[in-house]
């Protein structure tokens, strides 16, 4: 591709901007070497990888990533037997840390197979080696004491010996006898040894080794004889320390050499990931999206923006080429945005071919060009004695030679700089030649002849950049299909040119020019009317959307209100259940007391018990009545049968019909332990019936069915509603055999439902039933223990059974 043309499109500025986001210098170099790809599949793959990283950046944020440089070369040197320095090993640790951080970032959330999987799976973290290096080396010139036990012991000896020397020297300089020989009462270092500053005239008074003399000669730095041997030991320890550090470096370098093959691939993958992260960060800055890539030579950009212009100031444009037409001629006044629109189209296509997401709508589509041929700007050259026109024609000559299928040609002010008639004719001929070669052409011009050429030639379309003649400012909006006016007369008049001069200029226009100008004026008027209509349509659409949003808010408010009311109903139901439980216990206690009252006969106790039960039942039913009108819609039953299972609509409670409707239309039903009358129109069919074929009924079951109406005959076969396992089994009124059969079935069902405790209600009576049940429970393998009820549980009339 022509690098000069890509530079004219300012692709290099986009790449430089992306390179600034690279963390590693080598990745930035890779970024700056990017060129547009010419293979459709490669372009699609590159865009998919950038888009994947862009999505991960939005989800997870930026990964922890530190800059490293030339680490692959460091590892290669370790393979050759080189001993790496502490600084080089820290660079290796930094790269290994990057591998770990990038891999962890990529797997923060589970995802399907992605185009970037190969890159991230190529990363080979070595957490053990990275930790060992980081713990052993604190800085490029500092090894940690904990790097090895030997090193720690050596440094302990050094510190102990140094402290001993300091103590001796401190004693020496504080001694009144020796202090008079000293220039200062301080201890200093010379050539790695501890010395004291002695006045030169007393050098013979202090026995030891002279290591240095001050610049004036007044002071000599003497190592007292008492610490000479200790200083010598320190030098020995220092040599041992250096040898141990060298040994540690050799060992760490050997470990780096062992992982060099996979390290090389991981490092290359890390640099490519760095490039992708930089592209993705640039896309976030530009609010860019991934376009579709067409296999044909055509593109359409929707709401495209030039990435180097401030997003808040840039006006999006729609540009298409290669589908319905292969040539677009853009006209309009100077500084109206013609060149920017043309460069936007070329730059975004080039960016996509480099794997960059583009600042355009997601529905945009690009294609792959094998070359971008551009003539934009002033090509005047004083050194080559070329005028502006000559410079342009030199460039156009190269374009004509290179143009062909799969090339995009961008020509700014084609044919300008010479005689208008000849320039227009030459421009038309150049465009026709380019079209015959199969190139896509986008050109700007002021020539009326080119506007007419576009109107008359199939495959060539006019476009115009709008201009507000009232404010003398361009709107930068591109209108395809309509030629633009240069508006030279209006602009000149607004800028102060006398109206007489403007009128005289109009007279000098040819008749054809006047007719074309009139036609263009009419087109401008039609365009303005169309815009007004579009604005009105947009306003109506906005109003409709606003009304829809308001309706959705009202709907959400109603849903919220319904949820609140439902929660209130649930709370009321919970309170009702608690009240029922409390009153049931109270009722049980009252009935028990009534049973113990020997003053009343059996008949009187029964009557009193029914009165208590009726009174408490009425209280519970009153509390269960809904305060608000029920809005649920249901289909009421028209008729019922005795024993039929129904649902009380107001309470959403299952019940069994005990009697047919009376003269008032009320049906006697049993809901749980309660019997009540409900209007026939308040009953509905249960939503779900859990029925099983009934087994042959025992004598006790038949009697229980007759008493409660809990069974019904269906074609000669008796079916009963399946009874779920409960905490209690009432055995009152049954014989021993019937009761034991019921207990056996009840315990089996309770164990299957995972219950750990049940209550068997057998009453007191003669005690025969209780004795038989206890004997049965002692022999049951699943029974862990059993006992008589306590106060509040039924006392001796109830047996509490606990399962294993």
């Amino acid at each position: 591709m022509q690098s000069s043309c890509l530079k004219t499109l300012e692709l290099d500025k986009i790449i430089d901007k992306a390179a600034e986001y690279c963390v590693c210098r080598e990745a930035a170099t890779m970024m700056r070497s990017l060129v547009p790809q010419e293979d459709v599949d490669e372009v699609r793959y590159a865009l998919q990888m950038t888009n994947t990283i862009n999505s991960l950046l939005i989800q997870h944020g930026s990964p922890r990533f530190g800059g490293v440089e030339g680490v692959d070369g460091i590892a290669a040197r370790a393979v050759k037997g080189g001993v790496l320095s502490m600084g080089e090993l820290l660079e290796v640790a930094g790269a290994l840390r990057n591998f770990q951080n990038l891999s962890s970032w990529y797997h923060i959330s589970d995802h399907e197979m992605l185009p970037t999987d190969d890159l991230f799976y190529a990363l080979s973290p070595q957490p053990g080696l990275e930790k060992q290096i980081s713990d052993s080396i604190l800085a490029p010139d500092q090894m940690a004491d904990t790097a090895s036990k030997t090193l720690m012991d050596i440094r302990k000896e050094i510190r102990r010996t140094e402290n001993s020397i300091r103590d001796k020297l401190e004693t020496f300089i504080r001694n009144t006898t020796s202090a008079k020989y000293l220039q200062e009462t301080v201890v200093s270092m010379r050539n790695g040894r501890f010395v004291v500053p002695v006045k030169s005239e007393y050098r013979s008074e202090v026995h030891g080794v002279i290591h240095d003399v001050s610049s004036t000669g007044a002071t000599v730095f003497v190592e007292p004889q008492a610490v000479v041997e200790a200083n010598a030991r320190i030098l020995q320890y220092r040599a041992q320390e250096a040898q141990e550090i060298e040994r540690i470096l050799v060992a760490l370098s050997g470990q780096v050499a062992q992982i060099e093959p996979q390290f090389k691939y991981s490092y290359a993958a890390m640099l490519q990931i760095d490039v992708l992260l930089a592209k993705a960060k640039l896309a976030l800055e530009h609010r860019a999206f991934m376009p579709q890539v067409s296999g044909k030579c055509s593109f359409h950009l929707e709401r495209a923006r030039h990435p180097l212009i401030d997003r808040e100031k840039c006006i999006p444009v729609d540009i298409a080429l290669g589908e319905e037409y292969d040539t677009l001629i853009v006209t309009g006044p100077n500084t109206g945005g013609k060149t920017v629109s043309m460069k936007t189209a070329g730059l975004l296509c080039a960016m996509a071919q480099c794997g960059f997401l583009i600042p355009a709508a997601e529905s945009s589509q690009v294609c792959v060009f094998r070359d971008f041929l551009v003539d934009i700007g002033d090509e005047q050259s004083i050194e080559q004695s070329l005028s502006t026109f000559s410079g342009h024609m030199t460039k156009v000559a190269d374009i004509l030679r290179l143009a062909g299928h799969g090339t995009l040609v961008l020509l700014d002010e084609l044919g300008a700089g010479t005689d208008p008639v000849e320039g227009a004719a030459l421009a038309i001929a150049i465009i026709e030649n380019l079209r015959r070669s199969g190139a896509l052409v986008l050109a700007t011009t002021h020539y009326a002849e080119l506007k007419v050429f576009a109107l008359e030639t199939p495959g060539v379309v006019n476009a115009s950049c709008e201009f507000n003649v009232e404010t003398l400012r361009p709107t930068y909006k591109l209108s395809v299909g309509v030629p633009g006016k240069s508006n030279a007369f209006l602009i000149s008049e607004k800028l102060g040119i006398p109206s007489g001069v403007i009128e005289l200029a109009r007279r000098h226009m040819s008749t054809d020019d006047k007719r074309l100008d009139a036609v263009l004026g009419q087109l401008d008027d039609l365009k303005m009317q169309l815009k007004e209509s579009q604005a009105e349509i947009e306003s109506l659409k906005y109003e409709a959307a606003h009304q829809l949003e308001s309706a959705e808010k009202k709907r959400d408010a109603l849903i919220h209100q319904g949820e609140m009311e439902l929660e209130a109903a649930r709370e009321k139901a919970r309170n009702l259940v608690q009240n029922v439980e409390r009153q049931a216990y109270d009722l049980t206690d009252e009935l028990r007391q009534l049973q113990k009252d020997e003053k009343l006969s059996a008949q009187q106790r029964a009557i009193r018990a029914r009165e208590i039960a009726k009174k408490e039942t009425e209280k519970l039913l009153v509390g269960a009545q809904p305060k608000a009108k029920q809005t649920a819609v249901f289909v009421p039953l028209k008729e019922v049968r005795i024993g039929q299972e129904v649902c009380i609509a107001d309470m959403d409670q299952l019940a069994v019909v005990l009697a047919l409707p009376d003269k008032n239309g009320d049906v006697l039903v049993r809901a749980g332990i309660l019997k009540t009358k409900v209007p026939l129109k308040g009953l509905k069919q249960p939503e779900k019936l859990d029925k099983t074929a009934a087994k042959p009924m025992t004598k006790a079951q038949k009697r229980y069915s007759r008493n409660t109406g809990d069974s019904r005959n269906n074609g000669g076969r008796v079916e009963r509603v399946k009874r779920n396992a409960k905490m209690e089994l009432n055995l009152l009124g049954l014989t021993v055999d019937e009761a034991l059969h019921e207990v056996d079935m009840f315990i089996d069902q309770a164990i299957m439902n995972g219950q750990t405790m049940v209550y068997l209600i057998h009453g007191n009576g003669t005690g025969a039933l209780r004795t038989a049940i206890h004997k049965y429970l002692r022999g049951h393998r699943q029974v862990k223990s059993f006992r008589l009820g306590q106060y509040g549980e039924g006392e001796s009339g109830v047996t509490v059974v606990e399962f294993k």
Side-chain angles (χ1 to χ4, degrees), residues 194-230:
F194 290 95
V195 296
V196 292
V198 180
K199 297 176 182 179
S200 57
E201 59 267 26
Y202 295 117
R203 70 176 64 182
S204 59
E205 301 297 331
V206 179
H207 299 288
V209 181
I210 298 175
H211 287 280
D212 199 3
V213 181
S214 66
S215 58
T216 62
T219 305
V220 292
F221 295 93
V222 179
E223 178 187 7
Q225 190 66 40
V227 298
V228 170
E229 184 180 352

Side-chain angles (χ1 to χ4, degrees), residues 30-101:
M30 292 171 58
M31 180 74 77
R32 291 189 174 93
S33 64
L34 283 177
V35 293
Q37 299 291 324
E38 298 181 26
D39 183 81
V40 175
D41 292 333
E42 289 182 1
V43 172
R44 287 173 180 162
Y45 183 65
L47 286 171
Q48 288 171 359
M49 292 213 299
T50 305
N51 192 54
T52 298
I53 299 298
N54 184 61
S55 300
L56 291 174
L57 272 181
I58 294 173
Q59 295 175 22
H60 305 154
S62 297
R64 297 175 61 187
F65 194 6
V68 292
E69 182 179 0
V71 187
D72 54 343
I74 294 174
R77 190 161 68 82
V79 173
K80 296 177 181 178
V83 179
L84 305 183
S85 67
M86 287 186 279
E88 290 173 332
L89 286 169
L90 286 177
E91 288 286 329
V92 173
L96 293 175
R97 195 177 305 113
N98 285 342
F99 300 165
Q100 180 65 49
N101 291 338

